Amino acid sequence: MIDWCGALRRAVTGPSVTYGVIGVCALVFVLGPASGLTASHGSGDALVAAQSAYFRRWGVVPADLLSGSPPALLTPLSALFVHGNWLHLLGNMLFLFVFGAMAEERMGHIRFGVFYVVCGYLALAGYAVAHADSEQTLVGASGAISGVLGAFLYLFPRARVTSLFPFLFFLPLRFPAWIVLAFWFVLQWLAARGAGSGPGVAYLAHLVGFALGFLHAWACRRGTRVKGPAAAAEREGQP
């Protein structure tokens, strides 16, 4: 006999914020001009113009954000749900799917949701402060997701995650989270040092988000022990 009540309870108590964010980001992308799936945005030069206007309206422009105008101050919130292309969306959502569930379970739904939004906002704002004169538009959830990675590193350093490394011929190997995330952080730091203020990946926003996530987890959860299902998952090496 199917336990419908149990299934509903698991759906409600599961990582609903993580799955909700993934769903909203996917929906926003599919309906927006970046996906190229909506005929109303046109094609060719018209589609490119629609994409540029879309990113400008909903993304973060550092020079505008630091001007302090109310509409610009809201753009870090909207930018968290906007992505530039399919690879950008799928890469971010994969990281959120792998690391967000356990972090949400540990923090709780409401705290995790607030943490995600605040961390993402501050990550984008941090990049804007460092590139105050930049007119380059920033979009994407990577700053917030970097915060999730930082929190995960503190909360579950021994959890084992499956990773693909190019120099190992993309073999799926399982490593402790602290190795994978420390390696990721070093790559972001090296990339940030070589990045300019022009178009590209906002590596500095990744570093800011990661640091904020780690410090938040350290400040709020130090001295506590992993309990319940999260503890079992960590012992079994499940991400």
Side-chain angles (χ1 to χ4, degrees), residues 200-237:
V201 179
Y203 294 106
L204 180 59
H206 300 177
L207 296 176
V208 173
F210 189 92
L212 289 173
F214 186 89
L215 291 174
H216 172 82
W218 173 79
C220 296
R221 310 299 294 185
R222 58 178 176 170
T224 63
R225 301 180 63 183
V226 179
K227 299 179 180 179
E234 183 172 2
R235 288 195 300 272
E236 295 171 2

Side-chain angles (χ1 to χ4, degrees), residues 34-47:
S35 68
L37 298 178
T38 306
S40 61
H41 297 299
S43 60
D45 292 340
L47 178 60

Side-chain angles (χ1 to χ4, degrees), residues 52-151:
S52 179
Y54 179 76
F55 294 144
R56 183 80 187 190
R57 177 179 181 182
W58 301 111
V60 175
V61 178
D64 294 345
L65 178 64
L66 297 181
S67 71
S69 67
L73 291 175
L74 293 176
T75 55
L77 299 179
S78 59
L80 292 178
F81 301 95
V82 177
H83 291 82
N85 52 53
W86 285 98
L87 184 61
H88 189 201
L89 172 72
L90 294 176
N92 276 346
M93 295 305 100
L94 176 61
F95 270 89
L96 181 58
F97 177 78
V98 171
F99 294 98
M102 285 177 62
E104 180 180 347
E105 180 183 350
R106 182 71 184 275
M107 293 183 183
H109 304 308
I110 296 177
R111 179 174 293 179
F112 178 81
V114 173
F115 160 78
Y116 181 89
V117 172
V118 171
C119 201
Y121 189 105
L122 293 179
L124 291 170
Y127 181 93
V129 170
H131 301 85
D133 298 326
S134 175
E135 294 288 337
Q136 174 65 25
T137 303
L138 303 176
V139 296
S142 53
I145 295 171
S146 297
V148 174
L149 300 184

Side-chain angles (χ1 to χ4, degrees), residues 185-207:
F185 182 86
V186 171
L187 288 181
Q188 302 304 305
W189 179 72
L190 292 174
R193 292 188 62 186
S197 59
V201 179
Y203 294 106
L204 180 59
H206 300 177
L207 296 176

